[in-house]
Amino acid sequence: DLAQIGVTGLAVMGRNLARNLARNGYAVAVHNRSPERTRRLVDEFGHEGTFVASESMADFVASLARPRAVIIMVKAGGPTDAVIDELVPLLEEGDIVIDAGNAHFADTRRREQALRGHGLHFVGTGVSGGEEGALLGPSIMPGGSPESYRTLGPMFEKISAKVDGTPCCTHIGPDGAGHFVKMVHNGIEYADMQLIAEAYDLLRAGLGATPAEIADIFRTWNTGDLESFLIEITADVLGHVDNETGKAFVDIVLDQAEQKGTGRWTVQSALDLGVPITGIAEATFARSLSGHADQREAARAAFGTDRAAIEVTDRDQFVEDVRRALYASKIVAYAQGFDHIEAGSAEFGWDIDRGSLATIWRGGCIIRARFLNRIREAYDENPGLKSLMVAPYFAAAINDGVPSWRRVVMAAAEAGIPTPAFSSSLSYFDGLRAERLPASLIQGLRDNFGAHTYRRTDRDGTFHVEWAGDKKEHTA
Ligand code: 6PG
């Protein structure tokens, strides 16, 4: 019998996606460059469903029912291109190639165009949820043609996570739309994690609490507005004790955060599109800063590491302040991420529905959180929302949080605790709502040194002052 879908690349993510499909009743063709992995999958998990194993790519393709649907789950970049090059000559018009890795959306656009030339569908798909998600139900973000989604949609929706019975999978938009939103998802993931890390740092410095005590605070937070997967696992990680030393795990881990690149891509794309995603950018740069060990050592030697104590008079109030600052900053990060998606959608003609996106991020993915329901509601009520921050629910949450937010950022600045994401999010908020911004001075300076011209508040036109001469204004 022919398989309904195939997976090539059986490292942990590919293997778990294949198992998820098989467990949901699909006959799954499986293939890996080294056949050892394929054999191991069938040996260990063959009982879970129907796997059709092949050693060669040709046999793998031949084992699939038409239109063939092949999921590629290999390293992004060169390895993906290599597999595509091997596959394409074996496929026939109408077949579908799916890249479920974390590819750059520009690569996905290029590949989609190239495969379209061969009469093939290329579907760049975001898959979030890590190993466990891939197996038990991820959040799935497929791009590509609407026609390809007619074949893939039912299968992907079946294997995805469900929230209130709704699948965490929807067709995002054509060509690179799926990988673009997965990229921004990861950027938001970076911001979320940085905010959590700053909150932890503040609680530790302010309360002198142990990681285990802070774990309890996060556990409590996870019962309210902040309820989310990342807050939940923060409690787990903070509560964990190193087996070898008996010390808090978080204290024996080297404090240099790594990244595979999706956060960096998000920031690069936002710069291209002119979207101020300050929270994601600060989170990405904070990881970079942490990795500059030599520079950090030189700075410690030059300036010392002293920090002032944070004066906490009311412990509960301080914890509540940090919670509100975290929540307000988180709203900013998501608002910026959704702005970025809107800008990408407009630039590339994707017509992405932000409300549906919030819906499929409610479960399965790393940034799943209770408040995504609120984001969906906000876009349901007003699809043209200017910023998520101004939706009534979020505006109220921010207004509630502002005094706490300011107290926390001030305390951090006074004590010398770095809070790049907390403080830049607050600045973003104050920047957006300012009556006048000093951008007017910047325009004046640009006109002064480079005759770059400016516009006036009181009448239309473009103007320039003869700075070096009579200082008269001319129409430019
Ligand atoms: C997901 C994650 C995943 C990503 C990790 C690691 O949605 O399941 O985003 O795709 O690989 O989060 O990313 P970094 O190594 O860049 O931190």
Side-chain angles (χ1 to χ4, degrees):
D1 275 10
L2 293 175
Q4 290 149 290
I5 189 161
V7 180
T8 178
L10 300 175
V12 65
M13 288 296 287
R15 185 189 66 195
N16 282 0
L17 267 185
R19 288 176 61 199
N20 187 350
L21 285 158
R23 288 163 156 214
N24 275 286
Y26 297 106
V28 189
V30 285
H31 170 266
N32 192 69
R33 199 154 51 103
S34 63
E36 180 49 36
R37 270 219 169 107
T38 317
R39 267 180 242 130
R40 218 180 320 138
L41 166 63
V42 176
D43 284 351
E44 283 178 42
F45 306 107
H47 62 277
E48 291 182 340
T50 309
F51 295 100
V52 184
S54 296
E55 297 210 349
S56 76
M57 196 63 102
D59 288 347
F60 171 64
V61 169
S63 73
L64 285 159
R66 300 208 49 206
R68 302 183 185 93
V70 179
I71 300 178
I72 302 175
M73 203 36 144
V74 300
K75 254 203 163 105
T80 303
D81 281 316
V83 175
I84 293 173
D85 289 346
E86 207 184 336
L87 264 175
V88 165
L90 301 168
L91 297 174
E92 290 167 276
E93 205 171 315
D95 287 351
I96 308 166
V97 178
I98 303 128
D99 175 7
N102 273 331
H104 194 292
F105 72 94
D107 286 337
T108 303
R109 284 166 63 77
R110 167 177 61 77
R111 290 168 181 147
E112 196 275 337
Q113 206 185 3
L115 266 66
R116 207 181 329 134
H118 293 275
L120 302 173
H121 299 280
F122 184 76
V123 177
T125 299
V127 177
S128 179
E131 290 175 33
E132 196 178 292
L135 181 63
L136 303 175
S139 177
I140 310 181
M141 299 151 241
S145 62
E147 197 185 332
S148 64
Y149 195 77
R150 277 198 285 279
T151 303
L152 299 177
M155 289 194 266
F156 282 3
E157 288 177 20
K158 184 123 193 246
I159 66 162
S160 73
K162 313 280 182 301
V163 174
D164 305 331
T166 305
C168 294
C169 173
T170 191
H171 182 230
I172 303 293
D175 62 82
H179 274 144
F180 184 89
V181 302
K182 177 58 179 22
M183 175 189 77
V184 178
H185 165 285
N186 281 27
I188 294 174
E189 172 185 305
Y190 279 42
D192 248 343
M193 289 163 70
Q194 176 65 24
L195 292 169
I196 286 172
E198 290 177 17
Y200 151 76
D201 210 11
L202 282 159
L203 290 172
R204 201 153 179 195
L207 304 177
T210 63
E213 287 163 348
I214 301 171
D216 282 337
I217 294 173
F218 275 90
R219 225 163 267 132
T220 309
W221 287 356
N222 202 38
T223 61
D225 291 331
L226 278 172
E227 184 190 316
S228 61
F229 172 67
L230 285 169
I231 294 280
E232 179 192 325
I233 64 169
T234 299
D236 291 348
V237 173
L238 288 176
H240 184 61
V241 172
D242 176 46
N243 295 326
E244 203 179 302
T245 58
K247 288 185 183 159
F249 169 77
V250 74
D251 287 340
I252 57 101
V253 176
L254 189 69
D255 59 345
Q256 297 180 22
E258 295 173 18
Q259 55 176 309
K260 288 202 281 288
T262 44
R264 183 172 65 242
W265 294 346
T266 312
V267 180
Q268 286 169 336
S269 155
L271 289 170
D272 289 340
L273 293 167
V275 189
I277 54 162
T278 55
I280 296 170
E282 287 294 352
T284 309
F285 286 132
R287 289 196 191 187
S288 309
L289 185 152
S290 76
H292 285 285
D294 290 351
Q295 239 178 11
R296 288 174 62 190
E297 195 185 317
R300 285 196 297 268
F303 304 113
T305 59
D306 287 356
R307 323 209 277 200
I310 296 182
E311 203 88 30
V312 174
T313 44
D314 182 338
R315 187 190 149 95
D316 291 346
Q317 181 62 52
F318 181 72
V319 172
E320 180 60 9
D321 279 351
V322 174
R323 189 191 70 81
R324 285 174 181 227
L326 174 54
Y327 194 49
S329 305
K330 182 180 165 97
I331 293 169
V332 167
Y334 280 68
Q336 295 176 341
F338 275 83
D339 286 350
H340 188 184
I341 286 164
E342 182 65 8
S345 179
E347 171 76 14
F348 301 108
W350 286 327
D351 199 21
I352 295 172
D353 176 19
R354 290 169 295 177
S356 322
L357 191 56
T359 306
I360 68 159
W361 282 352
R362 293 180 307 159
C365 64
I366 303 295
I367 65 170
R368 60 185 182 264
R370 183 199 283 193
F371 98 145
L372 279 155
N373 269 319
R374 300 294 192 168
I375 298 184
R376 188 192 54 170
E377 283 163 20
Y379 285 116
D380 280 353
E381 266 162 40
N382 181 1
L385 203 56
K386 291 275 178 267
S387 162
L388 205 52
M389 290 169 66
V390 306
Y393 168 81
F394 292 111
I398 287 180
N399 278 329
D400 275 358
V402 165
S404 294
W405 207 359
R406 295 197 192 288
R407 277 197 293 273
V408 165
V409 169
M410 280 193 289
E414 258 169 2
I417 294 164
T419 52
F422 272 29
S423 43
S424 70
S425 304
L426 180 58
S427 283
Y428 175 84
F429 162 73
D430 283 326
L432 267 191
R433 70 186 192 87
E435 174 81 42
R436 291 273 297 160
L437 286 170
S440 55
L441 176 56
I442 290 174
Q443 284 298 79
L445 295 172
R446 292 178 67 246
D447 190 59
N448 179 297
F449 67 66
H452 293 301
T453 75
Y454 56 91
R455 285 174 296 155
R456 297 181 58 99
T457 56
D458 50 1
R459 59 180 194 273
D460 286 343
T462 314
F463 304 93
H464 167 58
V465 169
E466 282 306 325
W467 293 100
D470 59 9
K471 297 222 164 52
K472 284 213 174 104
E473 179 178 81
H474 304 281
T475 302

